[in-house]
Amino acid sequence: MPQPDLTLTPAGPALAPRYRETPRALPTLPRNHETPRTLPRNPYLRLFSHPGTRAFTVGSLIARLPMGMFGVSAVIMIAAAYGSYALAGAVTATGLAVGSVTGPLIARLVDRYGQARIAVPATAYAVLGHLVLLLCVHERTPAWALFLTTAVTATTPNTGGMSRARWAHLFRDDPDALHTANAFEQAVDELCYMLGPVLAAVLCSALFPEAGTLTAAALFLSGVLILSAQRSTEPPVAPRTAAGSPLRSPGMAPLLAVFLATGAVFGSMEVVTLAYVDGPVAGPVLALQAAGSCAAGLLYGHARRTARLRTCLAAMTVLMAMPLLGSSTGSLLALAAGLLLAGMATAPTMVTGMGLIQRLVPAARLNEGMALAVTALLAGIATGSATGGWAADHAPFAAFGFLIPVTAAALALTLCTATGVGRRARAGA
């Protein structure tokens, strides 16, 4: 029989009270005696129920809209002043080429020092470059000054990548929520690239040729300032590691090759469609592809399961044949319907690809990894644009150019299947 426990009291020794070995937890009330909040069933509403997500999303949206405005605005502005679309295209292409080199370097600095410390000065420097380019065009300086000035604008940070990095940090332990967030980000990209050129064209034609650049610069700087001010959702700076470039991550190089071929799909489809329609309705018809992608992205984010990258690329290869079939009929409505269907393969493919980037690249290099993906896409877009332009000039029949996007999609599918990059990422996840 266990001995009773004794304790000393002012009146002398007494039996000590007996307690359970494991005390029963008392029910606790929520802070401030509030009833627990039930999360909404809609996955997108659940995303924005997290504190701080609405604020940084607004800033990211404002900052990304000018990405579809700067190029169109520069082309209109330079062509109006110099009377040469060739010069305008060469200047904007120079900015893209330099940006493809500096983009990963800016992203590496963001990973190392944080978004706010790098993005704000980099954006201010890029905006200053756009304003100097505007002044050079207005004063009709020699052409070499335009090429030199547009290179200064290449410090533009990847605001879409920074936004995705915030979602990856907030929902690092919730794959379903992160999938929905990536789908939302892709839909925002499509929306911005659909509305940006239209807004730029309206401003430049309705006001004055420099209005598009001025508006885009103001929106870009304001959006980055709003995004950077949201410190509560900013990913913490990861400690420096001995890990090298994300290119050394297993499976990263094959995935970038797939992104390169995928970019060729987008670049060739744009040029071929513009050449085929060749009229004022070319822009609205081409925008249907972005509209289809935006809608498909939102639906894909609502789904709880993600498809394999190989499956997405197979669907893209099939759907990219729809504009070819539509253009073969000679009907503009059939082509428009084909572009709408083709666009529905874009967002799921990009969402899945960016999700693989997030799993392949270490957290300390995430911004740099996504910047490399964007660089591969831009290189593919440039290659596809050049190939599509050649096909449009040397086409044996009107719909010949639409073979290029189908071929590029098939190449991306072949690369993905041969390297097995998607399977390796899933095995390592």
Side-chain angles (χ1 to χ4, degrees):
M1 179 178 180
Q3 297 296 321
D5 294 333
L6 297 178
T7 185
L8 293 178
T9 69
L15 291 174
R18 302 286 295 181
Y19 298 96
R20 296 178 183 266
E21 293 296 331
T22 304
R24 181 180 300 174
L26 296 176
T28 58
L29 291 175
R31 189 173 297 178
N32 299 330
H33 303 285
E34 296 176 352
T35 57
R37 185 176 54 178
T38 58
L39 294 176
R41 298 182 61 182
N42 188 294
Y44 291 103
L45 295 180
R46 284 202 299 271
L47 286 182
F48 297 108
S49 65
H50 197 286
T53 54
R54 297 181 184 181
F56 88 73
T57 299
V58 170
S60 176
L61 178 62
I62 297 174
R64 265 186 283 184
L65 183 60
M67 296 301 101
M69 297 177 63
F70 279 125
V72 174
S73 299
V75 168
I76 295 175
M77 181 174 64
I78 295 172
Y82 291 82
S84 172
Y85 278 98
L87 175 62
V91 170
T92 54
T94 300
L96 288 174
V98 178
S100 66
V101 176
T102 59
L105 300 178
I106 298 294
R108 180 180 297 180
L109 294 176
V110 169
D111 284 327
R112 182 173 298 178
Y113 299 106
Q115 294 186 5
R117 291 184 61 184
I118 300 301
V120 173
T123 300
Y125 196 74
V127 167
L128 179 63
H130 284 291
L131 295 179
V132 173
L133 176 63
L134 184 150
L135 291 176
C136 290
V137 173
H138 187 267
E139 297 298 325
R140 291 176 173 78
T141 60
W144 63 264
L146 304 184
F147 288 98
L148 184 63
T149 305
T150 195
V152 179
T153 66
T155 60
T156 301
N158 182 8
T159 52
M162 292 192 299
S163 185
R164 287 178 172 88
R166 289 177 182 249
W167 291 117
H169 167 64
L170 293 175
F171 297 112
R172 56 190 177 277
D173 298 323
D174 191 345
D176 290 339
L178 184 56
H179 164 68
T180 303
N182 284 334
F184 172 79
E185 289 295 321
Q186 187 61 37
V188 169
D189 281 344
E190 299 294 342
L191 182 65
C192 290
Y193 280 103
M194 182 171 57
L195 297 180
V198 176
L199 178 59
V202 170
L203 289 172
C204 292
S205 59
L207 299 178
F208 47 91
E210 295 85 0
T213 299
L214 285 174
T215 304
L219 289 173
F220 184 39
L221 183 58
S222 301
V224 171
L225 288 176
I226 295 173
L227 175 64
S228 301
Q230 313 309 314
R231 305 303 292 270
S232 63
T233 56
E234 181 179 352
V237 177
R240 294 189 183 183
T241 63
S245 169
L247 287 172
R248 299 181 181 179
S249 300
M252 186 65 177
L255 182 57
L256 292 181
V258 172
F259 272 107
L260 180 68
T262 306
V265 176
F266 306 148
S268 59
M269 182 65 78
E270 180 178 0
V271 173
V272 167
T273 302
L274 292 175
Y276 181 88
V277 178
D278 192 21
V281 297
V285 169
L286 190 60
L288 288 174
Q289 183 181 357
S293 179
C294 182
L298 293 176
L299 291 175
Y300 189 58
H302 201 279
R304 294 187 176 183
R305 296 190 61 182
T306 59
R308 291 186 176 183
L309 181 60
R310 183 176 59 184
T311 303
C312 294
L313 290 171
M316 173 178 280
T317 304
V318 173
L319 291 179
M320 285 298 158
M322 297 298 105
L324 174 63
L325 296 177
S327 60
S328 299
T329 65
S331 170
L332 188 59
L333 290 178
L335 174 61
L339 288 170
L340 183 66
L341 291 174
M344 292 181 178
T346 302
T349 302
M350 295 306 302
V351 170
T352 305
M354 285 298 180
L356 290 177
I357 292 286
Q358 293 171 356
R359 294 202 293 273
L360 290 173
V361 177
R365 298 281 191 173
L366 184 55
N367 282 285
E368 184 179 355
M370 287 188 286
L372 287 171
V374 172
T375 297
L377 281 172
L378 290 176
I381 290 172
T383 304
S385 298
T387 307
W390 177 89
D393 288 341
H394 300 82
F397 53 92
F400 175 79
F402 288 100
L403 288 170
I404 306 299
V406 181
T407 304
L411 176 60
L413 174 61
T414 303
L415 290 172
C416 181
T417 304
T419 59
V421 60
R423 293 194 302 272
R424 294 178 183 178
R426 283 177 177 268

